[in-house]
Amino acid sequence: MEIPKCEMPGIPIHAENLEIIETPSLFYEKLLKLTSKTERRLALSSLYLGEGELEKNLVKKIRERMEQIDIEVTILLDLLRGTRKSSEGESSVTVLKPIADKAKIFLYHTPELNGLVKRILPQRADEIIGLQHMKLYIFDDNVLISGANLSDSYFTDRTDRWFLFKNCKPLADFFHEIIMTVGDTSFTVENDQVVPSSKCDIHPYLGGSQSYRDLLKLRVETNHEKTRKKQSRRRGFIRFYKWDYSEFIKNFNF
């Protein structure tokens, strides 16, 4: 079968490499299984990580894998949601403490929350201004794209969408770069302290919101263009699902 030529930017994926996960429990089991088999890199981007036993077990499995083999681990969460403490005094950041010494933990802060508004809005209410909502779960060259956060309700009874793209290095590279680009332009956790990343040239909420947005937009679009050039050189796919990353970039809210 001949596939008509498409001029839109995208990453071709063989149809047999797409797996649709059907239930919350299978989503959780897949996260654990992929973690246990990761050989090079693991990157998780979510709004937040919950504080329950299932979430702590996931962090435990990541820690065990890091002790077994030298892998790069990157976590990207929203700063406002990720530092909000429960009634027990726990947060996403405290749950991640067992891997904080070896993993890169990034916390994105919206540039829209600044000045007087940031000073007067309490926790929870400040989250209405803006949040980091990417749900991307990368294990080597496998990418799990979902609307589900990393919390127990999404692991047990909250139905969402889960699409696992297997053995697609270009797609995994693209989203890994997106996570790293946003992470490098965010806060990071160092020695139990939340500080701006060393690569964040403009403070997310003290350096001018428009300047920060321009910086992040430039970095993401640079990554987009690099991927576009790589994909323009690829030929010969005859049966694939095409991920249109141009729509992802267009909908990224700077």
Side-chain angles (χ1 to χ4, degrees), residues 4-5 30 35 120 201 215:
K5 184 178 181 181
K30 185 66 70 173
T35 295
I120 64 175
D201 299 331
L215 172 65

Side-chain angles (χ1 to χ4, degrees), residues 44-52 55 58 75-84 91-93 95-96 107 127 131-135 137 147-155 158:
L44 307 178
S45 171
S46 185
L47 172 62
Y48 69 101
L49 174 72
E51 302 92 27
E55 297 92 321
L58 176 60
I75 311 292
L76 172 64
L77 305 174
D78 182 78
L79 186 145
L80 301 177
R81 185 62 183 84
T83 57
R84 188 214 296 175
S91 68
S92 301
V93 172
V95 173
L96 286 168
L107 302 170
E127 295 171 19
L131 296 167
Q132 191 290 124
H133 261 285
M134 292 190 294
K135 282 87 171 185
Y137 309 120
N149 290 303
L150 298 174
S151 66
D152 54 4
S153 62
Y154 287 99
F155 297 155
R158 187 166 177 175

Side-chain angles (χ1 to χ4, degrees), residues 10-252:
I11 296 174
I13 303 166
H14 288 281
E16 60 267 26
N17 288 345
L18 171 61
E19 177 183 346
I20 299 175
I21 300 170
E22 297 182 349
T23 68
S25 60
L26 289 176
F27 168 52
Y28 183 66
E29 291 173 12
K30 185 66 70 173
L31 289 174
L32 297 180
K33 183 177 181 180
L34 290 168
T35 295
S36 68
K37 293 185 175 182
T38 297
E39 298 288 337
R40 305 187 321 277
R41 63 182 176 188
L42 183 155
L44 307 178
S45 171
S46 185
L47 172 62
Y48 69 101
L49 174 72
E51 302 92 27
E53 292 305 313
L54 293 177
E55 297 92 321
K56 291 176 182 178
N57 183 54
L58 176 60
V59 174
K60 178 184 175 183
K61 296 299 182 182
I62 294 173
R63 178 72 188 189
E64 290 174 354
R65 192 57 178 163
M66 294 172 76
E67 292 174 346
Q68 294 168 354
I69 190 170
D70 184 21
I71 59 172
E72 176 188 355
V73 175
T74 306
I75 311 292
L76 172 64
L77 305 174
D78 182 78
L79 186 145
L80 301 177
R81 185 62 183 84
T83 57
R84 188 214 296 175
K85 291 186 177 180
S86 66
S87 57
E88 289 77 27
E90 291 191 294
S91 68
S92 301
V93 172
T94 62
V95 173
L96 286 168
K97 193 169 183 178
I99 63 172
D101 58 332
K102 294 183 178 181
K104 297 176 182 177
I105 301 176
F106 295 118
L107 302 170
Y108 174 83
H109 187 292
T110 174
E112 297 300 319
L113 182 64
N114 57 65
L116 179 62
V117 175
K118 181 171 177 61
R119 290 195 293 272
I120 64 175
L121 280 182
Q123 277 197 331
R124 288 183 180 267
D126 56 7
E127 295 171 19
I128 66 175
I129 303 299
L131 296 167
Q132 191 290 124
H133 261 285
M134 292 190 294
K135 282 87 171 185
L136 301 167
Y137 309 120
I138 301 171
F139 306 86
D140 293 332
D141 296 334
N142 306 299
V143 184
L144 203 167
I145 299 175
S146 178
N149 290 303
L150 298 174
S151 66
D152 54 4
S153 62
Y154 287 99
F155 297 155
T156 55
D157 56 15
R158 187 166 177 175
T159 300
D160 210 289
R161 299 135 293 160
W162 310 276
F163 300 98
L164 177 60
F165 299 91
K166 298 178 287 187
N167 302 317
C168 185
K169 188 176 185 301
L171 187 68
D173 288 347
F174 172 72
F175 280 123
H176 190 267
E177 283 295 320
I178 288 290
I179 291 174
M180 292 303 299
T181 297
V182 176
D184 285 339
T185 321
S186 300
F187 288 84
T188 187
V189 179
E190 296 181 2
N191 301 318
D192 294 331
Q193 300 295 315
V194 176
V195 298
S197 166
S198 60
K199 296 181 181 180
C200 187
D201 299 331
I202 300 174
H203 195 282
Y205 61 83
L206 296 178
S209 61
Q210 188 58 53
S211 297
Y212 177 82
R213 283 197 299 269
D214 290 343
L215 172 65
L216 182 53
K217 185 172 186 289
L218 175 63
R219 290 181 173 182
V220 171
E221 288 182 343
T222 298
N223 180 60
H224 176 204
E225 180 63 17
K226 181 172 66 175
T227 301
R228 188 195 66 78
K229 289 180 178 179
K230 285 182 180 178
Q231 291 308 117
S232 68
R233 297 193 293 266
R234 298 174 69 90
R235 297 289 187 273
F237 288 88
I238 60 173
R239 184 169 176 263
F240 58 81
Y241 174 91
K242 193 163 187 177
W243 178 269
D244 185 355
Y245 57 80
S246 63
E247 288 300 306
F248 175 84
I249 294 295
K250 186 174 69 175
N251 293 321
F252 199 101

